[in-house]
Amino acid sequence: MSAAPVDEEVHDILGIGFGPSNLALAIAIEEHNGTAPEADRLDGVFFERQEAFGWHQGMLIEGTTMQVSFLKDLVTMRNPASDFSFLAYLHDKQRLVDFINHKTMFPTRVEYHDYLEWAAARVADAVRYDSEVVEVHPTRDHFEVAVRHGGRLTVHRARNIVLAVGLEASLPDGAQLGDRVWHNLDLLHRVGELTAAPRRCTVVGAGQSAAEVTEYLHRTFPEAEVCSVFSRYGFSPADDSPFANRIFDPQAVDDFYTASPEVRRSLLDYHRNTNYSVVDLDLIEQLYARAYQEKVQGKQRLRIFNASRVTDVAARTDGVAVTVEFLPSGDRSVLESDVLVYATGCRPRDPFRLLGETARHCARDDHGQPQVERDYRVRTTGGFQGGIYLQGGTEHTHGLTSSLLSNGAVRAGEIRDSVLARRRVARPARDYVLTRS
């Protein structure tokens, strides 16, 4: 750390990663600074290893829609009057009337990504792209953060760090990605690399992403057979009914956080069907209608291997042989495929990989998971004053909404306000020391 040039400025907040979560935080800081006296303003900087803003671009399938209302955007749940809202974006793009006439609460994923890019451009001064955080080291009252940019390493200092490192692909045990074996996160990137249209594609998974990949491949390659493999008997519909959706309310975070471990487990089990391994009913019906129509026509391209599992994958230079077992009977068949796509979900990246030795000072529970305060600050044991905040990876303490867009605006405001409150408490103590000295 000492060998790298050091930025002498000590930032109030240093964000690691710049997806929707830390974008919402950057906006919350911007809005606070716009009305606060100069002495009460926050200085925030964010580092993102991508060269430009991008959010799950490999799954920006044309026509797919958000599963979250546009009102749960980057700001509205925290500040309905904000000019960073999705409605403000529509007005700026001169599409507000057109969107209203569309009569939907759920914009397409492509349009929502455009909204995120629009918002990110407005706080671009706070972001350093193509910058990878490689180490975090605590001192008594701040952190030193080593950042690599263009082969050059510099050290930045901050009183608080906010980790928003996103999700990574979750794969079945033993699965390996390759030229013809993909995860759905890379779908659109990898499809563009194909030199010829596939004759057969196999998709593994039972959730929304699996259904979307199946629909996309079936629509995009009209001569190809698309095989969907999952262990359930059928796709299960997502429960997006009004009462069930209360699990994503801001108040639900307080309820979950104060609940006993037994109640927390029950709530997660009860409401997994709002988010995990479930599919929008409209898409289920669309896929079923296609499969049925193909039966009528006597040419079945969409094949559903339900109650089945993949038992072996043999990658070849020109494709992949996928062995599928029908669970009730144990019968097996081999699908000679040009492409195998694992749409088997995502999991939070381990935020503590970046922390190095600092991670030793993060308190953990009996299951090895971080102990997190209600304000999303990790409990620490090292005696240092800086705060480590998590955006994501807190489902065990804050509930289902902790890793989703639903509560992002409110969570960003809570983290910002926590940093402000802790700074106000710390300032008198520092001023007293300076006076005494």
Side-chain angles (χ1 to χ4, degrees):
M1 294 285 268
S2 59
V6 178
D7 180 0
E8 294 301 322
E9 183 178 7
V10 181
H11 302 282
D12 293 304
I13 294 175
L14 187 149
I16 302 175
F18 200 68
S21 294
N22 267 350
L23 171 55
L25 178 58
I27 294 170
I29 294 170
E30 174 88 0
E31 292 186 334
H32 166 78
N33 289 346
T35 59
E38 185 172 353
D40 200 32
R41 293 175 187 169
L42 286 171
D43 171 42
V45 63
F46 298 84
F47 294 96
E48 168 56 52
R49 62 182 178 179
Q50 294 186 112
E51 295 182 357
F53 183 87
W55 179 62
H56 294 179
Q57 291 176 290
M59 280 295 289
L60 294 180
I61 297 172
E62 186 70 31
T64 56
T65 58
M66 299 293 293
Q67 277 75 57
V68 180
S69 166
F70 71 86
L71 293 173
K72 293 184 176 181
D73 57 24
L74 296 166
V75 293
T76 297
M77 295 288 285
R78 173 181 57 81
N79 176 17
S82 172
D83 66 354
F84 280 89
S85 69
F86 184 77
L87 290 179
Y89 153 80
L90 290 173
H91 184 267
D92 186 61
K93 296 289 186 177
Q94 300 182 349
R95 290 202 309 271
L96 180 57
V97 172
D98 298 317
F99 186 84
I100 292 171
N101 290 338
H102 197 27
K103 297 182 180 180
T104 182
M105 298 290 288
F106 306 100
T108 65
R109 205 169 294 164
V110 170
E111 182 176 32
Y112 199 80
H113 191 274
D114 190 59
Y115 158 64
L116 295 176
E117 289 182 308
W118 170 86
R122 295 180 61 191
V123 293
D125 289 347
V127 192
R128 310 291 183 266
Y129 291 106
D130 193 22
S131 299
E132 182 180 9
V133 172
V134 296
E135 187 180 356
V136 176
H137 175 70
T139 67
R140 188 181 66 83
D141 59 356
H142 67 268
F143 296 94
E144 294 184 346
V145 181
V147 180
R148 181 180 292 116
H149 172 75
R152 182 170 177 263
L153 200 67
T154 57
V155 174
H156 301 262
R157 304 191 299 170
R159 297 181 184 90
N160 302 277
I161 59 173
V162 182
L163 296 162
V165 293
L167 304 172
E168 63 184 3
S170 178
L171 295 167
D173 291 340
Q176 293 186 334
L177 303 180
D179 291 341
R180 296 301 182 108
V181 182
W182 312 336
H183 189 271
N184 67 272
L185 286 176
D186 299 318
L187 176 70
L188 297 186
H189 306 310
R190 302 306 299 271
V191 162
E193 297 172 359
L194 293 175
T195 57
R199 295 161 297 171
R200 175 184 284 153
C201 303
T202 299
V203 182
V204 178
Q208 180 73 22
S209 294
E212 288 178 353
V213 170
T214 299
E215 188 280 330
Y216 168 79
L217 293 173
H218 186 266
R219 166 169 47 93
T220 303
F221 301 108
E223 300 301 318
E225 181 180 282
V226 179
C227 302
S228 178
V229 182
F230 48 85
S231 56
R232 298 185 179 193
Y233 215 79
F235 288 116
S236 298
D239 184 356
D240 59 355
S241 57
F243 287 115
N245 271 344
R246 286 181 170 178
I247 195 66
F248 303 118
D249 290 353
Q251 178 60 45
V253 178
D254 288 323
D255 296 338
F256 191 92
Y257 190 84
T258 57
S260 68
E262 294 75 21
V263 171
R264 288 181 180 181
R265 282 194 297 270
S266 295
L267 289 172
L268 289 173
D269 290 342
Y270 289 150
H271 295 286
R272 292 190 69 81
N273 64 343
T274 60
N275 187 60
Y276 295 113
S277 298
V278 289
V279 183
D280 285 347
L281 184 58
D282 288 347
L283 181 53
I284 294 175
E285 293 175 341
Q286 179 184 348
L287 289 172
Y288 188 89
R290 287 193 197 181
Y292 180 78
Q293 188 60 31
E294 288 179 352
K295 279 190 175 182
V296 172
Q297 296 170 342
K299 182 183 178 181
Q300 199 167 353
R301 288 198 305 116
L302 178 56
R303 299 177 62 192
I304 305 298
F305 289 79
N306 57 352
S308 300
R309 66 173 180 175
V310 172
T311 60
D312 187 62
V313 173
R316 300 168 184 170
T317 56
D318 59 347
V320 56
V322 184
T323 303
V324 176
E325 178 185 0
F326 184 55
L327 295 172
S329 66
D331 293 341
R332 295 188 176 188
S333 56
V334 177
L335 301 176
E336 296 289 349
S337 308
D338 296 286
V339 169
L340 168 63
V341 182
Y342 284 110
T344 46
C346 300
R347 61 188 174 212
R349 287 192 177 95
D350 181 2
F352 298 117
R353 291 178 193 165
L354 293 174
L355 297 182
E357 287 296 306
T358 307
R360 294 191 300 107
H361 301 295
C362 297
R364 297 178 183 267
D365 62 20
D366 294 339
H367 302 285
Q369 295 177 307
Q371 297 182 24
V372 187
E373 304 286 358
R374 174 59 185 83
D375 59 1
Y376 300 96
R377 184 168 49 89
V378 178
R379 292 175 187 165
T380 53
T381 59
F384 51 87
Q385 300 300 310
I388 301 172
Y389 292 84
L390 297 182
Q391 296 230 59
T394 57
E395 184 175 288
H396 63 293
T397 53
H398 290 68
L400 281 169
T401 193
S402 64
S403 61
L404 306 178
L405 295 176
S406 298
N407 207 38
V410 174
R411 181 175 61 247
E414 291 175 339
I415 292 173
R416 177 202 64 189
D417 293 346
S418 172
V419 171
L420 280 167
R422 285 166 53 80
R423 188 177 70 174
R424 288 167 186 150
V425 170
R427 270 181 175 169
R430 288 201 299 267
D431 293 344
Y432 176 75
V433 171
L434 289 172
T435 302
R436 294 272 293 178
S437 62

